[in-house]
Amino acid sequence: MDAAWRGGVGCSPVCLDLCVGLSPVREPSAARHELLDRPAGCRGGGDSKSMTNDEAKILEAKVTQMSEENRRLTEVIARLYGGQIARLGLDGSASPPRPVSPLSGKKRSRESMETANSCDANSNRHQGGDADHAESFAADDGTCRRIKVSRVCRRIDPSDTSLVVKDGYQWRKYGQKVTRDNPSPRAYFRCAFAPSCPVKKKVQRSAEDSSLLVATYEGEHNHPHPSPRAGELPAAVGGAGGSLPCSISINSSGPTITLDLTKNGGAVQVVEAAHPPPPPDLKEVCREVASPEFRTALVEQMASALTSDPKFTGALAAAILQKLPEF
DNA sequence: CGAGTTTGACCCGCGC
DNA sequence: GCGCGGGTCAAACTCG
């Protein structure tokens, strides 16, 4: 996996969902999609208030800024969580015999049906930060054959035997199985909020760290989030407890990492996926605008935003603690 | 009594 | 062809 998703830094296959210290009112990635989806001459709505060249450059600079932010956050997360992700089996290259994607498994035909359902449902799924995220998956290749898979690592009390990851959705357990590579049982859940909702969830303790609960979400909800915090990716609802503010999503084209620091009002989301690269003109803009001075200022801004966030520092401390040898 | 959970049986794709 | 193993089903069970 590393090669696939870490390699996609820079301006190319990086999907930006980043808002560091910015107002969450306007969804940043939605703005990005406006930029990306419209021809340059049509930006600004196409009415009499059409965008001036300056405004266009400002927006392009913002795109570049977010691209840089995304790249750097990705590097940070790769450093912080790389080892942990690999241990959890997210690193496809590390464990080729057991592919992460369920599409590669034996239930392919069934999954593909669910994929179609989930794609139909994308439009009304999230009101918040991930709506564009999911939509971009569907739009990238123009088909509805992808199933979104995301993982959440949640730290729990080791004595807690319940395989419950609270994410605001209603789940109905339909099976439990002890798998070969992990003595802990794996629980299978379906979304019980809507009968037609195709989303499934698998929850299993980490083989290495019994205090780590790994929830794997497959598919996307075709109904609004039942909780007040609608719009959040269930995987990203780190919420209470010591869960890591990091979720990893994998669709058939590649993984996505979401760093959710929404508690402070500034949602920091790093979304990196092996998406097709942005249009060539955007890459050109990336090269031109991402000057060293700009990058330096950006690094400072990001460092400030991240280090001032208690959730980030807490997650960092947890990750460091995990790396420390036990005495 | 209905809804949710448990758990053994079954299905099915993959590797040998 | 056969065994393995993950995923699902469905009857039995539990609980409010």
Side-chain angles (χ1 to χ4, degrees), chain A residues 177-194:
Chain A
K177 190 95 173 176
V178 175
T179 55
R180 209 168 76 94
D181 57 334
N182 193 334
S184 303
R186 175 184 296 170
Y188 299 88
F189 297 88
R190 280 199 190 93
C191 181
F193 185 78

Side-chain angles (χ1 to χ4, degrees), chain A residues 135-176:
Chain A
E135 285 164 4
S136 69
F137 288 173
D140 279 340
D141 60 359
T143 68
C144 278
R145 301 195 63 79
R146 295 184 185 184
I147 184 167
K148 177 169 180 162
V149 179
S150 58
R151 282 200 189 198
V152 172
C153 307
R154 171 162 295 195
R155 193 161 292 286
I156 60 166
D157 186 343
S159 62
D160 183 6
T161 58
S162 64
L163 294 170
V164 174
V165 175
K166 291 176 183 173
D167 51 24
Y169 289 93
Q170 289 180 283
W171 299 97
R172 173 170 296 180
K173 188 177 182 179
Y174 67 91
Q176 182 166 316

